[in-house]
Each structure stands twice: as structure tokens, then as C-alpha cells.
Amino acid sequence: MEAVANFLVELGSTGVVEGTRDLSQPQSSTAEVQGFFPAESSGPALHGALTRYLIELSVVFPDLGQPVPCLTEVNSDAWQDRWREHFPPIEVGKRFLLLPPC
């Protein structure tokens, strides 16, 4: 997942979210990595580059299989709020609460 997330950033992603796994469950055969790109980015070009990269990864990691990228257009406001879901409040001591910025 980290390799794909890094590749998305190299392609110009303004943010990346990696799916989380429940370690108490057997390893899933799928993983989700989301990259958020500016609206002016070319969907077909991104899809092609990611497809080629995933083919290259499957040569190095045969157990990877043949992953297929899925591109979905999202409202920019959705990303603005969605990333906060991955950063819950953290209590630091008894009087300090660390929150993501608004």
C-alpha cells in the first residue's frame, strides 16, 4: 500500500488515504488506497499511469495478482472533511486535547 500511496503523490495527488486493516481478522485480499487530485487532472492519464505501475508491481510481487484501479470523481468539499475522519482527538495529559485543524 505504501508504494502505491507514494506513486499517487508522485503523480500529483494532494492527499492520500490508505485503508486500515483489522489485525484480528485474516488478511484481506484487497486493500484500498485513495489519492485526491485537482479537478484539472486528466482521469484517463492517471488511470493509465496507475495501471502500468500496478502491472510493474505485480511482476515484483507475484502474490499481488492483477489489481485494477478505480477512479471516482469526488467533490472537493468531501476531501476537505473526509481526511479528519482519520485523525481522532488525542488526549495529552489531563487538560490538553489535540484536534485536527478546522
Side-chain angles (χ1 to χ4, degrees):
M1 282 197 317
E2 291 84 9
V4 174
N6 183 61
F7 185 72
L8 292 175
V9 170
E10 290 176 5
L11 285 176
S13 175
T14 57
V16 177
V17 176
E18 296 181 28
T20 58
R21 279 190 257 162
D22 183 353
L23 298 178
S24 66
Q25 300 297 318
Q27 187 168 352
S28 171
S29 63
T30 62
E32 183 176 299
V33 179
Q34 298 177 356
F36 298 89
F37 292 86
E40 60 273 3
S41 299
S42 168
L46 290 172
H47 191 275
L50 187 54
T51 299
R52 287 187 297 278
Y53 182 72
L54 292 173
I55 290 170
E56 292 172 10
L57 272 183
S58 67
V59 171
V60 177
F61 302 101
D63 292 341
L64 186 61
Q66 296 179 346
V68 178
C70 174
L71 299 181
T72 305
E73 186 173 333
V74 295
N75 181 326
S76 64
D77 293 338
W79 161 247
Q80 192 173 16
D81 296 329
R82 181 121 192 264
W83 70 271
R84 288 184 182 91
E85 296 172 9
H86 302 281
F87 295 93
I90 300 172
E91 291 185 30
V92 180
K94 294 182 180 186
R95 297 176 44 191
F96 188 71
L97 185 63
L98 184 61
L99 300 169
C102 297

